[in-house]
Amino acid sequence: MTLEPFGARLRRAMDERGPLCVGIDPHASLLADWGLSDDIDGLERFTRTVVEALADRVAVLKPQSAFFERFGSRGIAVLEQAVADSREAGALVLMDAKRGDIGSTMAAYAATYLDPASPLFSDAVTVSPYLGYGSLRPALDLARESGTGVFVLALTSNPEGAEVQHAVRADGTSVAATMLDHLRAENADAAPMGSYGAVVGATLGGSLGAARAELDINGPLLAPGIGAQGATAADLPKVFGAAVRDVVPNVSRGVLRHGPDAAALRASAERFAAEVREAVSAVDPAAG
């Protein structure tokens, strides 16, 4: 099975459902806030509630694999069901796994998330390039073959990331800019948008500096940090400039804290999506 390229499917989903990605992050503290137990039953109830409330209306759902893996095989079974149910309801699923390795191991990670025969088959996956961008080739190639997408960590919002991402190579190019250059090449000539994205924190603001000019990669920019981490939809044009129309803002706790009430979850997601659409249309009226 080969799908329509992920970039085209993502553009259509954002245009039709609003430019928003909602994380499915079942932290132990969030389970407690919902009145749920920190066990497999609590995990299953939390996940089912989020999927049933949002999968038929948001563009992207992004389960964080680690919060399911901590429950072992039963947690993975909940994740498999969430992926299948979300995709059946029309949401694109971005698996937040941040995998990175070399050779056959990277190929196995790629097959786990990007092979249509896998129980965890998702529309896209996050990957870490810090064993060298070339180490990602198995995932990049399988994504192209299967019509899925890859989001590469480039300019993350955690302060520790700067020591690697802002490091400068012998030619004067930062590591982050190098990753963005690679992605731009992967997305060359794709329309309406490439399938190879970058993760760029929405909280970075002025610290992006000259890197802002590198953000036009003809592909999606996953932007964590909206909501609980302090960034707002209104910040997006300031952070991303002309590339803002390709931004996929990610909200997790900002939406999930309104659970377990399904109507409140939907209302929060719709509010965030409307705010993002308004902010983007101020820069690109055609996106309104």
Side-chain angles (χ1 to χ4, degrees):
M1 178 179 68
T2 300
L3 300 169
E4 181 184 14
F6 173 72
R9 293 187 290 124
L10 177 60
R11 169 57 67 206
R12 183 167 58 249
M14 292 199 297
D15 289 347
E16 294 176 354
R17 295 185 168 205
L20 189 69
C21 168
V22 177
I24 306 179
D25 296 357
H27 299 264
S29 60
L30 191 53
L31 294 177
D33 289 344
W34 280 34
L36 299 174
S37 52
D38 187 24
D39 56 21
I40 195 67
D41 290 333
L43 176 73
E44 197 279 332
R45 289 179 61 190
F46 175 93
T47 306
R48 185 177 68 248
T49 298
V50 175
V51 171
E52 290 179 351
L54 300 178
D56 65 345
R57 63 196 62 221
V58 302
V60 184
L61 286 175
K62 182 176 71 65
Q64 168 48 258
S65 181
F67 292 115
F68 296 85
E69 293 173 33
R70 70 190 184 101
F71 292 101
S73 61
R74 296 177 70 191
I76 296 298
V78 172
L79 180 58
E80 289 177 4
Q81 190 65 52
V83 170
D85 290 346
S86 297
R87 298 189 74 241
E88 184 176 0
L92 299 177
V93 173
L94 167 56
M95 184 64 69
D96 196 355
K98 298 184 178 71
R99 300 303 192 219
D101 215 305
I102 60 173
S104 59
T105 307
M106 190 66 229
Y109 280 138
T112 300
Y113 305 109
L114 303 179
D115 185 336
S118 170
L120 285 170
F121 177 60
S122 303
D123 296 284
V125 66
T126 57
V127 295
S128 173
Y130 295 111
L131 286 172
Y133 184 85
S135 68
L136 301 177
R137 184 49 56 191
L140 300 168
D141 289 347
L142 184 53
R144 195 178 301 278
E145 177 184 332
S146 60
T148 53
V150 171
F151 284 86
V152 176
L153 301 180
L155 285 159
T156 58
S157 56
N158 62 305
E160 303 88 349
E163 66 180 289
V164 174
Q165 296 160 20
H166 293 177
V168 177
R169 303 171 60 215
D171 64 1
T173 306
S174 73
V175 171
T178 300
M179 299 306 157
L180 294 169
D181 286 343
H182 283 304
L183 292 168
R184 191 177 302 106
E186 300 285 351
N187 290 324
D189 301 322
M193 179 168 66
S195 299
Y196 300 95
V199 179
V200 179
T203 56
L204 294 177
S207 65
L208 278 178
R212 184 179 287 103
E214 303 290 331
L215 295 178
D216 185 4
I217 60 170
N218 190 34
L221 301 168
L222 180 68
I226 302 291
Q229 293 184 45
T232 68
D235 294 326
L236 295 175
K238 294 179 286 187
V239 175
F240 293 96
V244 70
R245 188 168 184 265
D246 294 334
V247 170
V248 187
N250 177 70
V251 180
S252 295
R253 284 172 290 172
V255 170
L256 300 178
R257 67 184 178 86
H258 294 282
D261 183 84
L265 289 168
R266 294 187 191 106
S268 178
E270 288 168 1
R271 183 171 60 254
F272 274 112
E275 291 172 355
V276 172
R277 195 190 296 274
E278 181 180 359
V280 172
S281 65
V283 177
D284 180 6

